[in-house]
């Protein structure tokens, strides 16, 4: 399993772009899942980095989490409205693992309360999805060209430049 911590070690540039864009949008990302009929679904989500993991949680009983329960594959894209991609753009690919550890859930809920005031401390998580990252990429416009940085586990980052 490639955790967020491992990913940041292997793909520091992509992790930096993702983190910057994630923070700039108030943690908003677009989550792509697969519907039961095989077509893609795009949904807003606010993933969080917690204890070296990328955690994808949200309101219980939502369709996006039913999708992930059925097929764990996902793509997470940093939200952007800039057609010039001036601040970069990042995508993460992988599968989710449902982590049933109630102590981790309690620490996560406490951190949410401490950081943003959302009080989930006495509630059970329907699912507590942790990302197992299988790939990532960024797109950045630099001067007169487009740089696409690509990462796969164990392969480091590589840049494809397009003019």
């Amino acid at each position: 399993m490639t955790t967020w911590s491992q990913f940041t070690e292997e793909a520091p540039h992509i992790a930096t772009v993702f983190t910057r864009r994630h923070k700039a949008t108030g943690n908003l990302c677009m989550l792509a899942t697969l519907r039961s009929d095989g077509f893609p679904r795009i949904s807003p989500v606010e993933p969080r980095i917690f204890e070296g993991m990328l955690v994808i949680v949200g309101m219980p009983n939502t369709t996006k989490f039913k999708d992930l329960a059925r097929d764990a594959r996902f793509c997470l894209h940093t939200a952007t409205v800039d057609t010039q991609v001036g601040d970069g753009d990042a995508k993460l690919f992988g599968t989710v693992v449902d982590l049933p550890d109630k102590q981790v859930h309690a620490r996560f809920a406490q951190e949410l309360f401490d950081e943003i005031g959302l009080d989930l401390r006495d509630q059970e998580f329907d699912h507590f999805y942790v990302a197992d990252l299988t790939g990532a990429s960024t797109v950045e416009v630099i001067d007169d060209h487009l740089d696409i940085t690509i990462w796969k586990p164990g392969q480091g980052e590589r840049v494809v430049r397009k003019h």
Side-chain angles (χ1 to χ4, degrees):
M1 181 166 166
T2 304
T3 64
W4 179 259
S5 291
Q6 292 164 317
F7 165 68
T8 60
E9 289 175 17
E10 290 187 27
H13 180 74
I14 297 173
T16 297
V17 173
F18 179 87
T19 303
R20 181 178 66 236
R21 293 298 311 132
H22 183 240
K23 183 178 180 181
T25 61
N27 299 335
L28 179 66
C29 289
M30 301 309 290
L31 176 71
T33 59
L34 293 170
R35 300 178 345 178
S36 61
D37 61 8
F39 284 93
R41 180 187 319 276
I42 304 293
S43 306
V45 68
E46 295 176 33
R48 297 186 65 85
I49 310 302
F50 176 73
E51 295 185 357
M53 301 176 287
L54 177 63
V55 178
I56 304 172
V57 295
M59 289 177 35
N61 298 315
T62 59
T63 309
K64 62 189 160 205
F65 295 118
K66 290 178 183 174
D67 290 346
L68 289 172
R70 185 181 50 262
D71 187 325
R73 294 176 291 173
F74 74 91
C75 177
L76 191 63
H77 185 265
T78 54
T80 184
V81 294
D82 177 11
T83 58
Q84 300 302 310
V85 198
D87 200 27
D89 168 290
K91 293 184 206 88
L92 305 177
F93 305 91
T95 58
V96 293
V97 176
D98 198 355
L99 182 65
D101 187 327
K102 301 295 183 196
Q103 291 179 344
V104 171
H105 300 184
R107 290 192 308 270
F108 181 82
Q110 184 64 51
E111 184 174 290
L112 275 178
F113 180 73
D114 292 345
E115 287 187 13
I116 63 173
L118 179 61
D119 196 357
L120 302 176
R121 292 175 294 175
D122 293 326
Q123 298 181 31
E124 283 195 33
F125 287 90
D126 187 27
H127 293 285
F128 194 91
Y129 287 127
V130 174
D132 176 5
L133 298 172
T134 60
S137 65
T138 61
V139 173
E140 296 170 282
V141 176
I142 300 172
D143 298 325
D144 64 342
H145 60 274
L146 184 69
D147 277 357
I148 303 165
T149 306
I150 301 164
W151 167 82
K152 294 273 187 195
Q155 298 178 17
E157 295 176 313
R158 68 183 174 89
V159 177
V160 175
R161 181 163 286 170
K162 299 196 176 206
H163 291 274

